[in-house]
Amino acid sequence: MKKSKPIYLDSASTSKVDSRVLGEMTPYFTEYFGNASSNHSYGAKAKDAIDKARIQVSNIINCDSKDITFTSGATESINLGIKGYVEANPEKGNHIITVKTEHKAVLATCEYLETKGYEVTYLDVDENGLLNLEELANSITENTLLICVMYVNNEIGVIQPIKEIGRIARDKNIAFLCDATQAVGKVNVDVEEDCIDMLCFSGHKLNGPKGIGVLYKKSNIVLTALIHGGGQENSLRGGTYNTPLIVGIGKACEIALNEFENTVQALLKRRAELQELYEANDIGQVNFKEVATAPHILSITLKNQEAEEYLLLKRNEFVASTGSACNTALVEISHVLKALEKNDGRTIRISI
Ligand SMILES: *Cc1c(COP(=O)(O)O)cnc(C)c1O
């Protein structure tokens, strides 16, 4: 007898491509394969599809479509946003402020820049994983040019006070970059209302394809390119346009926006069921119930079981993780739980 697959509860690490997204992408691999930069009808067909995708993406974060740059994923968007900004704006200073619980894409980029002479402040978080706004304001110096704070934490699901951070940054004329990879499609992201100057996310966290991401940058933000080439994406990112993946992330954003209310309701319902399952049966306790969290991520501390051991035991029933996917391969204690002083080895992440 064929064994049934375990239930997938690891959507924060990646998600399945929606069949409607795949359906939209397929003809751009086969029939409409033209190079979007070509000056003929094959090129025009691809270019039109990319223009449409740019609008679909801009609608979900409320920006102008000309402020969207397509990249290979959130990691590249974050690298382009941070390195590109500090390189293009040396007169604005050499100090970056970020948080200890950011994704490694942000932390590793900042650590790299430290080796190049930049100064980085890594803010602490409280027991709920949130930064302190006063501490943020106090850490700003005349050399601060960039603040990087994520919208939703990928390991614990808590939502940082983005609008307040955006206001502080704007008041001080400091650029604000937000990694919204876990937020787009699950919480209301609005770059205008939230005073976000640069925003990054990936297609594959919202039922789009892997290998495609977005960098939004406000029109007045100047960046230096990481990848130089044929002048694509306003010379911010060289390389032949990846039309099928761009079409895919566009469609994924369109669906996520159209179905936003239903998706959130469904996620909350499932979340409540899972919470009940763990708490009523006294298996574990759901964390961060006192603060705002994204609807798809549940952090659970098991009552009397090691996290790794528990997931191994349950692996034929369901799959989840102990932290971010980048961490599990290393079996290294999560830097997020470490920052929270919660590295008891009994905390798991369930993501729907
Ligand atoms: C997944 C993730 C990233 C990295 O996305 P890639 O698609 O791997 O580049 C960055 N930040 C957060 C919060 C994520 O969840």
Side-chain angles (χ1 to χ4, degrees):
M1 205 174 76
K2 193 167 170 281
K3 249 192 348 200
S4 62
K5 269 196 258 176
I7 300 167
Y8 189 74
L9 292 174
D10 202 19
S11 298
S13 69
T14 195
S15 63
K16 177 164 84 173
V17 174
D18 187 303
S19 58
R20 292 167 290 179
V21 170
L22 184 63
E24 201 82 4
M25 289 169 65
T26 306
Y28 291 92
F29 284 109
T30 51
E31 205 175 336
Y32 312 129
F33 58 86
N35 185 323
S37 307
S38 294
N39 215 350
H40 50 57
S41 60
Y42 285 75
K45 182 77 188 168
K47 187 181 176 298
D48 287 349
I50 291 169
D51 290 345
K52 181 179 168 193
R54 229 183 273 283
I55 293 168
Q56 290 168 320
V57 166
S58 65
N59 285 341
I60 203 170
I61 59 171
N62 187 31
C63 72
D64 196 315
S65 66
K66 70 176 179 353
D67 297 332
I68 295 291
T69 302
F70 290 113
T71 67
S72 65
T75 302
E76 186 189 328
S77 298
I78 289 164
N79 272 265
L80 174 57
I82 299 177
K83 292 177 192 164
Y85 189 75
V86 300
E87 201 184 329
N89 298 279
E91 77 291 349
K92 289 185 163 49
N94 73 338
H95 176 231
I96 302 167
I97 300 171
T98 186
V99 188
K100 287 182 178 167
T101 50
E102 290 291 300
H103 190 274
K104 290 280 169 140
V106 168
L107 295 177
T109 301
C110 288
E111 284 159 17
Y112 165 76
L113 288 174
E114 281 185 282
T115 72
K116 299 288 171 190
Y118 291 90
E119 278 175 43
V120 183
T121 298
Y122 301 91
L123 295 172
D124 281 315
V125 292
D126 65 14
E127 70 280 6
N128 286 317
L130 300 177
L131 63 73
N132 181 306
L133 290 167
E134 214 168 300
E135 231 171 271
L136 168 68
N138 289 337
S139 66
I140 292 171
T141 73
E142 57 184 18
N143 281 323
T144 309
L145 79 166
L146 179 64
I147 294 173
C148 304
V149 181
M150 72 200 322
Y151 216 114
V152 169
N153 185 279
N154 54 304
E155 292 192 30
I156 58 177
V158 301
I159 302 174
Q160 294 286 4
I162 293 301
K163 200 180 299 179
E164 289 75 9
I165 298 166
R167 297 237 168 91
I168 291 172
R170 198 143 294 178
D171 275 353
K172 302 270 185 186
N173 205 15
I174 297 166
F176 175 33
L177 178 146
C178 180
D179 171 4
T181 311
Q182 296 291 346
V184 174
K186 279 93 172 186
V187 303
N188 218 327
V189 176
D190 183 325
V191 293
E192 286 298 325
E193 211 169 286
D194 296 338
C195 297
I196 294 169
D197 297 306
M198 291 183 266
L199 180 130
C200 313
F201 66 98
S202 264
H204 71 104
K205 304 280 174 86
L206 72 158
N207 302 108
K210 294 174 182 57
I212 183 82
V214 163
L215 172 66
Y216 155 78
K217 74 162 194 69
K218 206 172 153 64
S219 55
N220 64 335
I221 295 280
V222 180
L223 301 179
T224 301
L226 292 181
I227 299 174
H228 299 91
Q232 291 90 349
E233 297 287 2
N234 295 316
S235 294
L236 259 187
R237 210 272 184 174
T240 300
Y241 286 103
N242 196 335
T243 315
L245 296 193
I246 292 171
V247 166
I249 196 172
K251 186 67 181 175
C253 287
E254 183 192 80
I255 293 172
L257 181 59
N258 286 343
E259 300 181 354
F260 183 78
E261 293 302 331
N262 285 341
T263 303
V264 169
Q265 285 315 311
L267 289 170
L268 288 174
K269 182 162 174 280
R270 183 86 174 104
R271 181 195 176 86
E273 288 164 5
L274 286 163
Q275 179 168 332
E276 170 75 10
L277 187 87
Y278 276 88
E279 294 189 340
N281 297 311
D282 213 17
I283 310 166
Q285 206 54 45
V286 171
N287 301 312
F288 314 114
K289 283 194 283 199
E290 310 301 318
V291 293
T293 53
H296 66 303
I297 299 177
L298 266 153
S299 168
I300 297 171
T301 299
L302 300 168
K303 200 160 178 213
N304 40 30
Q305 218 166 354
E306 292 286 322
E308 294 283 354
E309 190 183 49
Y310 172 75
L311 292 178
L312 195 64
L313 205 70
K314 294 283 181 185
R315 71 188 184 282
N316 293 327
E317 268 176 64
F318 71 89
V319 295
S321 77
T322 54
S324 73
C326 328
N327 290 341
T328 44
L330 304 169
V331 191
E332 172 190 280
I333 297 206
S334 144
H335 69 282
V336 175
L337 297 177
K338 214 184 275 180
L340 279 157
E341 293 171 6
K342 208 173 171 46
N343 52 0
D344 48 27
R346 288 189 288 113
T347 302
I348 60 169
R349 173 186 74 183
I350 287 184
S351 49
I352 322 157

